[in-house]
Amino acid sequence: MRSKSSDSESHYLTPGINLSVKIVVLGPFAVGKTTLVRAVSEIRPTSTEERMTEAGKAVDTLRGLSEKTTTTVALDFGRLTLTDDIVLYLFGGPGQPRFSFMVDELMQGALGGVVLVDTARITESWDAMGRLEEAGLPYVVAVNTFHDSPRYGEAELRRALDLTPSTPLVECDVRHRDSAKTPLIALVSHLLARTNLEPVS
């Protein structure tokens, strides 16, 4: 028998979990999907980040992203026990259009999604929103608060994103665990509200 330790590989699910939820984390290239999964995962996250090549830089738009040196080429995976009985399985998808077929695969079996937004590139998140809507999956929009991106009020953001009143909109800083959990809590509460269950506190 293995002894318990802080090593993520020995971190098993606690007894009492009766609801597992697959969630996809989507959004454009370099919006913070990998960072969010890494920040909240209670196990060692799986990541397929690779160093960007000169060939990739010729395909991916790096305008305003000069410090970006790696990119997700398949998926990020992590796990978060949200409450005593709910565990989330997080699948972060690649943001480049050429990997869109992978996003379609990741959405299979998901109950909902988080769409990350950079206010300096709002329109680049429309594709992820559209994919979730076409798949009939509820989602939360989370504005990742980049320090050099413009700030807007909620009403302005909702108009720019063409959000329905029922779609949750939150702000977060995906570098910090507690803040990165905000859109996940909002999404699970949104999902539970649709089934008339108690929201997550």
Side-chain angles (χ1 to χ4, degrees):
M1 177 179 289
R2 296 181 61 180
S3 62
K4 292 184 179 180
S5 74
S6 59
D7 187 339
S8 65
E9 292 182 357
S10 64
H11 194 129
Y12 298 104
L13 284 176
T14 57
I17 297 294
N18 58 35
L19 178 61
S20 60
V21 182
K22 178 181 178 181
I23 290 175
V24 289
V25 181
L26 305 180
F29 176 62
V31 77
K33 302 178 295 295
T34 298
T35 303
L36 184 148
V37 173
R38 287 178 176 172
V40 303
S41 183
E42 65 198 12
I43 60 173
R44 182 176 299 137
T46 299
S47 179
T48 57
E49 272 208 321
E50 298 291 342
R51 183 165 294 280
M52 294 185 65
T53 63
E54 290 304 315
K57 291 178 181 179
V59 177
D60 299 318
T61 301
L62 294 176
R63 183 178 65 257
L65 303 171
S66 59
E67 296 181 1
K68 180 72 172 173
T69 59
T70 60
T71 183
T72 298
V73 296
L75 62 89
D76 300 303
F77 172 75
R79 188 188 79 199
L80 172 65
T81 301
L82 193 61
T83 67
D84 290 341
D85 59 351
I86 300 176
V87 64
L88 308 183
Y89 293 98
L90 309 174
F91 291 79
Q96 302 92 319
R98 70 181 186 278
F99 295 134
S100 60
F101 68 95
M102 294 182 185
V103 174
D104 293 336
E105 293 290 330
L106 287 178
M107 287 195 300
Q108 294 186 23
L111 295 185
V114 171
V115 177
L116 284 177
V117 174
D118 177 358
T119 58
R121 305 177 286 137
I122 286 178
T123 59
E124 293 182 18
S125 292
W126 288 350
D127 179 71
M129 294 166 58
R131 287 179 180 277
L132 289 165
E133 289 171 3
E134 288 175 11
L137 294 177
Y139 62 91
V140 166
V141 173
V143 175
N144 190 11
T145 53
F146 291 93
H147 73 278
D148 54 351
S149 292
R151 303 298 296 269
Y152 300 105
E154 180 176 347
E156 291 177 287
L157 286 169
R158 286 188 171 276
R159 282 195 299 271
L161 293 163
D162 195 24
L163 294 183
T164 64
S166 62
T167 301
L169 173 65
V170 299
E171 284 192 355
C172 65
D173 184 335
V174 299
R175 298 170 300 176
H176 304 292
R177 179 179 171 84
D178 286 346
S179 186
K181 287 170 63 175
T182 300
L184 302 175
I185 293 171
L187 177 60
V188 172
S189 294
H190 185 49
L191 293 172
L192 293 177
R194 290 164 62 96
T195 56
N196 298 314
L197 296 177
E198 289 296 321
V200 177
S201 57

